[in-house]
Structure formats: C-alpha cells, structure tokens
Amino acid sequence: ELSHEFGNSSSVAIPDNEPAGVETVVDVSDAFEITGLEVAVNISHTYIGDLRVALRHGNDEIVLHNREGGSDNNLVATYTVDDFNGQQAMGDWVLHVDDNTGIDTGSINDVRLTFLSGNPEAGALRWAPALGSKGEQALEKMTSGNLE
C-alpha cells in the first residue's frame, strides 16, 4: 500500500453559536483509489461539546465528532474512516465545523488527511521472505487460485 498525505494549516475562526459553521478545504491533487483514510484534526476551542465536525467529499459526508466531550478544551484527534474506501481521492475534501451553543469560541488550526491506496495483499506478498522451491510452489498455487 502507498500512503498519501494532504493538509491545510490555515487558521479559520469558528463563529460562536452559528449552526452554519465554517469550512476548510484540503485539495487532493493526485488521482488514486482510496483503500484507507485517517483524518487528523487540531481544533482549539474552550468547550468541545459545542462542536460538530464533519468531512465531506463529493456527495458523501461523515460526522467525525458530534458534540461529545462536554467542557473539555481543544479537539486534537485522529479518526480512522472507511466510508470513502473504493472512491477516487482527487478533488476537494471539506472539513465542516459548527458551534451549536453560545459563549465558548475557537478555531480550526490544522487538518491532515492520510490516505492509503493500492492492494494490501500485494504489499504483503512484496515483503514475503525467500521461500525456497516448495514455498514458491505453494505461493504460486495460492496466487493462481489452485490450492490443491
């Protein structure tokens, strides 16, 4: 598998008690099929229970954080997301953050998308040790589908 990382570290203020929220965009300029995704967010906020955080690509959206955490400060977390597996990565990825209660404020500091692409089984075979003639015959049977 190959790893691809894209991000946006432009600071964006989150308006207080504004359900419309704000967005920050990560532009993925490479074309590949997604086999895995980790989303790392760094959001400063004085009451993370106010926040709803979602990631959108194309017509699909996944909620990463939905007003959990109560009065805890700052949302610095990494989420493993498989909802986009099988899709093409190229294009805009939008992190949407909204604050649903008054008083506390914050900002989006950074978002990092780390994608995996490629065939994980092929990667495992690539790292297989030298097998010798019997092992190579067994490997040949496995890869050809002939397990007799």
Side-chain angles (χ1 to χ4, degrees), residues 53-73:
V53 180
L55 180 68
R56 187 175 67 244
H57 178 63
N59 294 323
D60 295 324
E61 180 178 272
I62 179 80
V63 175
L64 303 172
H65 176 88
N66 193 9
R67 303 189 71 184
E68 298 98 358
S71 64
D72 289 351
N73 290 337

Side-chain angles (χ1 to χ4, degrees), residues 3-129:
S3 176
H4 313 262
E5 184 175 306
F6 300 86
N8 186 337
S9 58
S10 298
S11 183
V12 179
I14 302 166
D16 191 31
N17 196 22
E18 179 56 54
V22 293
E23 297 180 338
T24 188
V25 177
V26 176
D27 175 36
V28 174
S29 55
D30 297 343
F32 55 88
E33 184 176 311
I34 301 165
T35 59
L37 172 60
E38 286 190 344
V39 181
V41 298
N42 181 327
I43 299 171
S44 299
H45 199 277
T46 53
Y47 199 100
I48 66 171
D50 290 357
L51 302 178
R52 181 181 173 278
V53 180
L55 180 68
R56 187 175 67 244
H57 178 63
N59 294 323
D60 295 324
E61 180 178 272
I62 179 80
V63 175
L64 303 172
H65 176 88
N66 193 9
R67 303 189 71 184
E68 298 98 358
S71 64
D72 289 351
N73 290 337
N74 306 325
L75 181 59
V76 179
T78 300
Y79 303 91
T80 300
V81 178
D82 60 8
D83 298 66
F84 298 102
N85 288 2
Q87 295 185 25
Q88 289 297 313
M90 183 179 266
D92 288 344
W93 290 77
V94 179
L95 186 76
H96 178 94
V97 179
D98 52 80
D99 178 326
N100 294 280
T101 307
I103 301 174
D104 295 276
T105 60
S107 62
I108 303 169
N109 301 315
D110 189 57
V111 58
R112 297 272 152 217
L113 306 178
T114 304
F115 297 93
L116 295 178
S117 68
N119 183 343
E121 289 79 22
L125 291 176
R126 188 176 337 139
W127 294 104

